[in-house]
């Protein structure tokens, strides 16, 4: 959540021991022990306790996706008597990253996550912490995680929750279908579904308005589209790599439907506000030269013609995979008319290549092992050069592929190197 000055009473806060005793370059700067750090956190929480309440737990048994232990950290659910801004809460608890200080849309869900008792945390196989490991001030943890079906819900409370969800959806901070889960977490399954049935059309309308407003903004101010072309033989991990990269950049993926005989190809047909799009098995024959240049212009935005009407496709990242070499696809995207002049051909190829700035060539190194060679297009010299390469030792391993995807995005400067929180 951005630091926009909005005030909330209840906040989720995460603090990390390893981060506090190292500087940005990873150099040890403090000899403080883990137990000393815990005592420091307890004092910090006690110091910032007003007439509100707090529940917190130290996590020491979490495991990262690569199988290594996750560094010691603490999850804090803090309620204030008076609503506070994100900036104020970050200052009070010495939080350095906005992602580690977010308002709690659902107190029940946030409380359950302290011990990894949310359905998602359990599905992910996260370590289940004992209830007695949670430390509380002015509250009862069992009451915080209890199903709320036995209490009366006021219309004022419903209005506040619905309005908050509508604002977040309208600002693009929340996908409208996720409001259903948040209502269930807040009010229990029966009441949550009742409220969803009552307000879902409002949420959908809020989301459509967000898409329209974002499109108008792109038309006026331009966009910043980054397109990846990933190619290689079959079974070298092209699609899985693209999916891993998408999910590192977005929580949802827009999958472009495959073209086929007697099928009208529609690049925007299933788009629903996703930040990342994935189009598999691209040949370059699906779109005309003009359509491709319009859709994949990195700076200028125009809507797509979707089944006879214009539809917006506002992805910030577009991943194209193919078994055809980049050169083949570029040739297929050239204009249909015969061009004799060498310089005009060169210009037309440049127009296509600059819309495919990042090339990832997948080279098999043997059973399950692939090298991903990163090549960039230099618009000044109108040529491509090799930037770096990443090797995945097992393309069938989710963790190995995610690690490779993260390394590629870091090399490209799209993801920054940062400590795990």
């Amino acid at each position: 959540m951005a630091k926009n000055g909005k005030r909330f009473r209840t906040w989720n806060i995460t603090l990390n021991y390893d981060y506090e005793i190292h500087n940005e370059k990873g150099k040890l700067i403090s000899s403080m022990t883990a137990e000393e750090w815990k005592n420091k956190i307890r004092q910090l929480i006690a110091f910032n306790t007003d007439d509100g309440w707090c529940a917190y737990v130290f996590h020491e048994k979490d495991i990262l996706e690569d199988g290594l232990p996750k560094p010691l950290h603490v999850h804090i659910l803090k309620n204030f008597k008076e609503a506070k801004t994100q900036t104020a809460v970050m200052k009070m608890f010495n939080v350095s990253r906005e992602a580690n200080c977010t308002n709690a849309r659902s107190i029940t869900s946030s409380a359950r996550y302290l011990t990894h008792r949310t359905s998602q945390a359990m599905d992910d196989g996260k370590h289940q912490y004992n209830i007695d490991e949670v430390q509380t001030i002015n509250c009862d943890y069992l009451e915080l995680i209890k199903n709320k079906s036995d209490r009366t819900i006021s219309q004022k409370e419903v209005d506040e929750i619905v309005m908050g969800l509508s604002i977040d959806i309208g600002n693009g901070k929340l996908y409208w279908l996720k409001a259903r889960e948040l209502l269930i977490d807040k009010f229990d399954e029966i009441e949550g579904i009742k409220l969803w049935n009552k307000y879902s059309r409002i949420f959908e309308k809020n989301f459509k308005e967000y898409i329209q407003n974002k499109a108008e903004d792109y038309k006026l101010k331009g966009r910043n589209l980054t397109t990846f072309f990933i190619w290689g033989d079959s079974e070298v991990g092209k699609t899985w790599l693209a999916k891993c990269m998408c999910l590192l950049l977005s929580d949802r993926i827009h999958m472009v439907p495959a073209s086929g005989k007697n099928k009208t190809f529609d690049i925007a047909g299933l788009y629903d506000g996703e930040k990342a799009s994935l189009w598999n098995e691209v040949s370059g024959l699906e779109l005309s030269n003009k359509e491709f240049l319009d859709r994949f212009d990195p700076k200028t935005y125009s809507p797509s013609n979707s089944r006879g009407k214009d539809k917006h496709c506002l992805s910030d990242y577009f991943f194209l995979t193919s078994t055809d070499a980049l050169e083949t696809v570029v040739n297929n995207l050239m204009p249909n008319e015969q061009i004799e002049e060498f310089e005009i051909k060169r210009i037309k190829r440049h127009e296509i290549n600059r819309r495919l700035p990042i090339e990832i060539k997948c080279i098999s190194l043997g059973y399950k092992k692939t090298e991903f060679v990163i090549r960039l297009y230099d618009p000044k010299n109108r040529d491509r050069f090799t930037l770096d390469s990443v090797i995945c030792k097992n393309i069938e391993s989710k963790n190995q592929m995610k690690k490779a995807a993260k390394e590629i995005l870091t090399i490209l400067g799209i993801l920054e190197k940062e400590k795990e929180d």
Side-chain angles (χ1 to χ4, degrees), residues 221-278:
K221 301 177 183 177
R223 72 186 305 180
N224 187 17
L225 172 64
T226 302
T227 302
F228 300 76
F229 186 85
I230 305 174
W231 68 279
D233 292 335
S234 298
E235 300 182 353
V236 290
K238 300 184 298 295
T239 299
W240 200 352
L241 176 69
K243 284 184 177 179
C244 288
M245 294 173 79
C246 282
L247 291 173
L248 285 168
L249 298 169
S250 174
D251 58 347
R252 297 183 299 121
I253 304 175
H254 165 224
M255 299 295 295
V256 177
S259 61
K261 189 176 181 180
N262 300 322
K263 267 180 80 175
T264 302
F265 179 68
D266 188 353
I267 198 169
L270 298 178
Y271 183 76
D272 199 26
E274 295 87 352
K275 188 177 181 181
S277 292
L278 173 55

Side-chain angles (χ1 to χ4, degrees), residues 66-210:
D66 59 9
L68 295 174
K70 192 171 184 178
L72 167 66
H73 56 285
V74 62
H75 287 285
I76 305 168
L77 179 60
K78 180 71 181 82
N79 170 272
F80 296 95
K81 180 181 179 182
E82 302 292 339
K84 299 188 183 299
T85 64
Q86 184 187 45
T87 302
V89 178
M90 290 178 69
K91 185 175 181 180
M92 291 172 69
F93 285 88
N94 301 320
V95 182
S96 59
R97 297 177 61 225
E98 293 179 21
N100 291 342
C101 182
T102 60
N103 67 292
R105 291 192 180 95
S106 166
I107 291 176
T108 303
S109 180
S110 295
R112 288 174 180 173
Y113 189 77
L114 294 180
T115 52
H116 288 159
R117 277 171 169 74
T118 61
S119 57
Q120 186 63 56
M122 289 188 282
D123 287 344
D124 291 342
K126 291 182 179 290
H127 176 79
Q128 302 285 294
Y129 289 88
N130 294 328
I131 289 176
D132 59 11
E133 294 181 74
V134 179
Q135 301 177 53
T136 60
I137 299 174
N138 298 333
C139 66
D140 183 336
Y141 182 67
L142 288 175
E143 288 297 319
L144 293 178
I145 64 174
K146 188 181 293 184
N147 196 310
K148 302 298 189 297
S149 60
D150 57 345
R151 68 178 179 85
T152 302
I153 303 170
S154 70
Q155 187 59 46
K156 181 181 178 182
E157 183 179 7
V158 170
D159 290 343
E160 287 179 352
I161 295 295
V162 169
M163 182 58 68
L165 293 174
S166 290
I167 291 172
D168 283 349
I169 293 169
N171 289 334
K173 296 175 183 175
L174 177 69
Y175 181 48
W176 72 281
L177 289 176
K178 291 188 179 294
R180 182 180 186 274
E181 178 185 345
L182 293 173
L183 288 171
I184 290 172
D185 277 342
K186 179 66 178 177
F187 295 109
D188 81 44
E189 188 169 13
I190 293 176
E191 286 300 323
I193 291 175
K194 283 182 181 178
L195 292 171
W196 169 254
N197 291 337
K198 183 176 181 179
Y199 294 105
S200 59
R201 290 191 177 184
I202 293 175
F203 297 147
E204 184 178 15
K205 181 174 179 289
N206 296 147
F207 189 71
K208 288 180 177 178
E209 290 173 350
Y210 158 69

Side-chain angles (χ1 to χ4, degrees), residues 235-238 361-373 390-395 401 404:
E235 300 182 353
V236 290
K238 300 184 298 295
K361 183 179 179 181
C362 307
I363 303 172
S364 176
L365 299 179
Y367 183 62
K368 296 184 181 181
K369 189 174 182 180
T370 297
E371 180 180 15
F372 301 115
V373 181
V390 171
I391 292 176
C392 180
K393 296 180 179 179
N394 184 359
I395 59 172
M401 285 294 278

Side-chain angles (χ1 to χ4, degrees), residues 9-11 13 48 50 53-54 76-80 93:
R9 290 183 59 198
T10 311
W11 293 85
I13 302 163
N48 288 304
D50 53 6
W53 51 264
C54 182
I76 305 168
L77 179 60
K78 180 71 181 82
N79 170 272
F80 296 95
F93 285 88

